[in-house]
Structure formats: C-alpha cells, structure tokens
Amino acid sequence: MSDPSTPPLGYIQKYLASEHNIPFEDLVGTRTFESLDLDSIAQVEMFVTLSDHYRIELDDSLASADMTLAQTADMVGEALLEKAAVPHQEGAADNRTNQAHS
C-alpha cells in the first residue's frame, strides 16, 4: 500500500479492508464512515495515514460520520492538486543558496 500514485479512493479501500477487516466489496464510494461502523478515532487515523501516504495536509476536523469514502477521496484529490500548484519552496531556497556560492 505504499505506492503514492494509487488513486485516493483505491487507497482508502485497500487501507480499510486491510486495517479494519472490512470486505472490499462493501467499500463503495457512497458508503459513510458510520455505515461502516468506523468511529471518530478510526477516521482520524485514516486521515493521518492518508496525509503521510500522499504527503499532504488534511484537516481531520472535517471528518464526520456521514462523510462518504468518495468525499474523503475527493478531499485528498483536492489537496494533491493544491500541493501540485504550489512550487517546492525547499528546492527554490537550495537553488538560491547554490547560486550565491557559485
């Protein structure tokens, strides 16, 4: 499950099947956390896992019992788009430092 190119919904499905022993066929995008019997702690853990996996920031305070897997995947997708739109600041700083020493 460590491939960051895995689409968010697919990653969420694999994660929940693996970590919570939920049958994969039950993990359709329209299912809510509540309908899967996942409590708020499980949701926060999943948000942290998604943040780490995709190297993005997700606000776990937005998680709710009636949030669907597809909505969660969309949130990850939006964060990935935002991440792609922001220039990599560390690399820019490194380039300026290297140019100053040339």
Side-chain angles (χ1 to χ4, degrees), residues 25-60:
E25 59 272 7
D26 290 347
L27 297 170
V28 295
T30 56
R31 293 294 300 266
T32 64
F33 290 106
E34 182 175 48
S35 73
L36 294 168
D37 292 324
L38 295 172
D39 62 16
S40 60
I41 293 171
Q43 288 179 264
V44 169
E45 288 174 350
M46 188 180 72
F47 271 56
V48 170
T49 299
L50 289 167
S51 295
D52 291 346
H53 178 76
Y54 288 105
R55 297 179 184 208
I56 56 173
E57 291 191 29
L58 290 177
D59 183 357
D60 57 40

Side-chain angles (χ1 to χ4, degrees), residues 8-9 12 58 67-81:
L9 183 57
I12 291 167
L58 290 177
M67 182 177 235
T68 66
L69 301 184
Q71 289 170 324
T72 305
D74 289 345
M75 183 184 296
V76 171
E78 289 172 15
L80 288 168
L81 288 174

Side-chain angles (χ1 to χ4, degrees), residues 8-26:
L9 183 57
Y11 184 81
I12 291 167
Q13 292 166 322
K14 288 177 186 175
Y15 170 80
L16 292 174
S18 171
E19 296 297 316
H20 295 279
N21 298 316
I22 300 171
F24 195 83
E25 59 272 7
D26 290 347

